[in-house]
């Protein structure tokens, strides 16, 4: 059973059409939740770290929020250059601090 | 500030061979982690090194090994390659254990 689940697996948006990506986790005890962006053929690029419920972080058209069992990555008025795979990773307090990655959401924004 | 550098970028090997991949972390970063990324399994943790010592290890067979040098550069080795080892191997560095990671662009390994 996956500890970190991302949905949807794939998302197609029109330019300017806002939406949200979801990352949920099943293990209790959050050390930190990380969002990354990955472009084809490249390594993941760090976006945000969230540590506690209620925390929010923003960067340009992206806003990450955190509740007790899930995080959302809100994309406002996306542009084609926002097309990428968005990865969520969670580090838990119970064991090693090594983050567990979700499978990612592949986002395509059409002009 | 230079990022994480991985070499080579692409590699084609034959089943049964061995391969060594290299990673140079960001200057000042002492922690280096390795991940395997495949379409079917996503990002899977291999191991983490800090100050030349392996601190954590993922659930991979003993054919996968690594080491870290005194300058924090790291290598990973895969012996007796199998077709299923074809993947993007990513290295990530961080200032310390448990801090945010900066990833390199990866080494694309193809086993034929």
């Amino acid at each position: 059973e996956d500890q970190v689940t991302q949905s949807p697996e794939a998302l197609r948006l029109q330019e300017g059409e806002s939406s949200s990506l979801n990352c949920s986790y099943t293990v209790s005890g959050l050390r930190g939740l990380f969002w990354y962006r990955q472009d084809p053929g490249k390594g993941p690029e760090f976006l945000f770290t969230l540590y506690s419920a209620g925390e929010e972080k923003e960067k340009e058209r992206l806003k990450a929020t955190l509740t007790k069992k899930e995080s959302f990555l809100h994309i406002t008025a996306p542009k084609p250059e926002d097309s990428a795979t968005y990865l969520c990773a969670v580090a838990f307090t119970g064991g090693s601090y090594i983050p567990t990655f979700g499978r990612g959401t592949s986002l395509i924004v059409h002009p | 500030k230079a990022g994480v550098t991985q070499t080579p970028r692409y590699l084609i090997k034959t089943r049964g061979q061995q391969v060594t991949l290299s990673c140079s972390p960001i200057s000042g970063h002492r922690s280096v982690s390795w991940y395997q990324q495949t379409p079917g399994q996503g990002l899977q943790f291999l191991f983490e090194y800090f100050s030349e010592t392996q601190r954590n290890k993922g659930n991979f067979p003993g054919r996968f090994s690594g080491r870290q040098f005194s300058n924090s550069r790291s290598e990973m080795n895969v012996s007796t390659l199998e077709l299923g080892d074809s993947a993007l191997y990513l290295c990530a560095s961080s200032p310390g254990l448990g801090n945010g990671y900066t990833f390199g662009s990866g080494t694309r390994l193809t086993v034929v």
Side-chain angles (χ1 to χ4, degrees):
Chain A
E1 178 187 341
D2 286 350
Q3 294 179 318
V4 181
T5 303
Q6 291 189 245
S7 62
E9 286 186 17
L11 182 62
R12 292 177 179 269
L13 299 173
Q14 288 297 128
E15 185 171 1
E17 180 186 2
S18 302
S19 188
S20 298
L21 314 182
N22 178 264
C23 172
S24 63
Y25 52 95
T26 55
V27 180
S28 60
L30 179 71
R31 183 186 297 271
L33 186 143
F34 311 90
W35 281 100
Y36 288 86
R37 168 196 170 125
Q38 185 173 24
D39 293 298
K42 295 188 176 181
E45 174 190 345
F46 172 77
L47 293 173
F48 306 109
T49 305
L50 301 168
Y51 293 104
S52 56
E55 191 174 357
E56 298 182 353
K57 294 273 180 74
E58 280 189 73
K59 179 181 178 180
E60 297 179 358
R61 295 178 292 282
L62 300 176
K63 179 180 178 180
T65 62
L66 180 63
T67 66
K68 282 194 173 181
K69 285 297 184 183
E70 60 186 350
S71 175
F72 291 93
L73 184 65
H74 307 279
I75 304 178
T76 302
K79 298 181 178 182
E81 53 261 42
D82 294 323
S83 298
T85 295
Y86 291 85
L87 296 165
C88 166
V90 181
F92 304 103
T93 57
S96 148
Y97 50 81
I98 301 297
T100 299
F101 279 81
R103 301 288 180 99
T105 293
S106 173
L107 172 67
I108 297 176
V109 181
H110 296 285
Chain B
K1 188 176 182 181
V4 178
T5 303
Q6 290 189 246
T7 56
R9 286 297 313 278
Y10 303 93
L11 209 48
I12 300 176
K13 289 287 189 178
T14 304
R15 236 178 343 171
Q17 286 186 313
Q18 76 165 17
V19 67
T20 299
L21 312 181
S22 178
C23 172
S24 294
I26 290 174
S27 178
H29 284 196
R30 297 168 63 190
S31 171
V32 174
S33 298
W34 289 90
Y35 283 82
Q36 180 195 68
Q37 187 175 32
T38 60
Q41 297 296 319
L43 268 156
Q44 301 283 306
F45 171 73
L46 282 157
F47 25 68
E48 179 180 37
Y49 287 87
F50 182 82
S51 294
E52 302 179 64
T53 302
Q54 186 180 92
R55 299 299 177 118
N56 287 285
K57 188 177 190 306
N59 189 26
F60 278 81
R63 299 185 297 108
F64 292 82
S65 63
R67 59 178 175 169
Q68 186 180 34
F69 303 95
S70 58
N71 62 358
S72 294
R73 192 177 70 83
S74 177
E75 289 181 346
M76 69 162 280
N77 183 276
V78 187
S79 62
T80 319
L81 284 166
E82 301 176 0
L83 296 178
D85 296 333
S86 294
L88 180 66
Y89 289 88
L90 292 161
C91 168
S93 77
S94 68
L97 298 172
N99 295 130
Y101 296 142
T102 301
F103 282 86
S105 293
T107 294
R108 171 72 64 185
L109 172 65
T110 302
V111 182
V112 297

